[in-house]
Amino acid sequence: MTRAALPGSQFPSGNLWKILPLALFLCTTFVLPALAQEKDKLWRTLSVTGRGVETTPATLAQVSLGVEIQGKTAQEVQQEAARRSSAVVAFLKSQNVEKLQTTGIQLNPVYSYTNNVQRITGYTATNTVSFRIPTEKAGTLLDDAVKAGATQINGISFVANDQAIAAAQKQALKEATQDAQQQADAVFSALGFKPKEVVSVQVNNASPPPPPMFLRAEAAKVADASTPVVGGEQQVEASVTLQISY
């Protein structure tokens, strides 16, 4: 009995059943080793994490200062706070400070308690700004800002400039990568394995930690003397994870 040929087939129907098992055999022959290689590549890997730390001079002072006014009425204290804040901002602009911005405007009632009765006795208005200035100019500028009307120094921290941080990040990444590679070499050497290739790279972190804030004081207490301001160094940390096949 002759089998009918499949529509569109270029092979006689009798030969099709002979060719099909051969095709399946060839497909299995090539696919299975490839899958085995992928499985080996997936399972025979070592993951190591390296760390790099780079230090760069903190040449900029990040300053937060403000004006606080107390008075009997809300309108009175708000107007006086606005007047003094405008004078402080005008002074800071004349000093060409960087990244000058308003960081807070508050108006709060002041309460007193008599015989468990709460009464509003006045208001407090506070306006704060932040900016950056070269560290060596920060002390003199703080003193002059107080003369211009500032009544609070809320904090000062020290940071490196953007270019220095970017360069430190690149160097920290290099150090982290080298550290990870050295760790991997030590492990492979101890186990007698031979590394093949890096199959994945993960950059976990490459940024400076937030700088600490300090030097909180009432401005009036430091206005009579030159305020000493000494910068330091800023660390940039990076972490890199390598996955290496063997």
Side-chain angles (χ1 to χ4, degrees), residues 52 165-166 168-170 172-173 176 203-209 236-240:
I165 290 177
Q169 288 174 335
K170 293 179 181 179
L173 282 171
V203 177
N204 303 317
N205 188 29
S207 61
V236 177
E237 299 183 3
S239 177
V240 174

Side-chain angles (χ1 to χ4, degrees), residues 48-51 175-185 240 242:
V48 288
T49 298
R51 179 173 176 266
E175 294 175 2
T177 304
Q178 292 171 355
D179 181 41
Q181 186 66 65
Q182 290 172 1
Q183 292 183 50
D185 292 342
V240 174
L242 303 180

Side-chain angles (χ1 to χ4, degrees), residues 81-134:
R83 185 187 68 80
R84 289 202 187 186
S85 297
S86 296
V88 172
V89 169
F91 165 73
L92 294 175
K93 287 182 177 179
S94 72
Q95 301 301 303
N96 297 319
V97 300
E98 300 178 5
K99 299 186 178 181
L100 175 63
Q101 62 178 349
T102 298
T103 54
I105 297 177
Q106 293 183 342
L107 176 64
N108 298 309
V110 177
Y111 297 98
S112 68
Y113 297 87
T114 304
N115 297 325
N116 294 325
V117 177
Q118 177 179 286
R119 293 174 51 250
I120 296 178
T121 58
Y123 292 86
T124 299
T126 306
N127 291 1
T128 56
V129 297
S130 67
F131 58 91
R132 285 185 178 184
I133 191 74

Side-chain angles (χ1 to χ4, degrees), residues 1-163:
M1 178 177 180
T2 303
R3 294 184 179 90
L6 294 176
S9 174
Q10 297 180 359
F11 300 99
S13 60
N15 294 331
L16 179 60
W17 304 104
K18 299 178 181 179
I19 296 173
L20 185 59
L22 177 61
L24 291 175
F25 172 76
L26 292 175
C27 180
T28 304
T29 302
F30 287 107
V31 170
L32 290 181
L35 292 176
Q37 291 175 3
E38 289 298 322
K39 183 178 179 180
D40 288 343
K41 187 176 181 180
L42 178 63
W43 287 104
R44 292 179 59 86
T45 60
L46 170 70
S47 294
V48 288
T49 298
R51 179 173 176 266
V53 179
E54 187 67 15
T55 301
T56 185
T59 56
L60 295 174
Q62 179 77 38
V63 182
S64 174
L65 55 78
V67 171
E68 183 179 81
I69 302 297
Q70 295 183 352
K72 293 294 184 181
T73 68
Q75 183 178 7
E76 172 191 351
V77 297
Q78 185 64 23
Q79 288 179 346
E80 181 62 14
R83 185 187 68 80
R84 289 202 187 186
S85 297
S86 296
V88 172
V89 169
F91 165 73
L92 294 175
K93 287 182 177 179
S94 72
Q95 301 301 303
N96 297 319
V97 300
E98 300 178 5
K99 299 186 178 181
L100 175 63
Q101 62 178 349
T102 298
T103 54
I105 297 177
Q106 293 183 342
L107 176 64
N108 298 309
V110 177
Y111 297 98
S112 68
Y113 297 87
T114 304
N115 297 325
N116 294 325
V117 177
Q118 177 179 286
R119 293 174 51 250
I120 296 178
T121 58
Y123 292 86
T124 299
T126 306
N127 291 1
T128 56
V129 297
S130 67
F131 58 91
R132 285 185 178 184
I133 191 74
T135 301
E136 66 273 13
K137 298 180 180 180
T140 301
L141 184 136
L142 288 176
D143 298 336
D144 292 340
V146 171
K147 295 176 183 177
T151 61
Q152 289 182 333
I153 299 173
N154 298 318
I156 181 171
S157 59
F158 302 103
V159 295
N161 61 47
D162 295 340
Q163 293 82 1

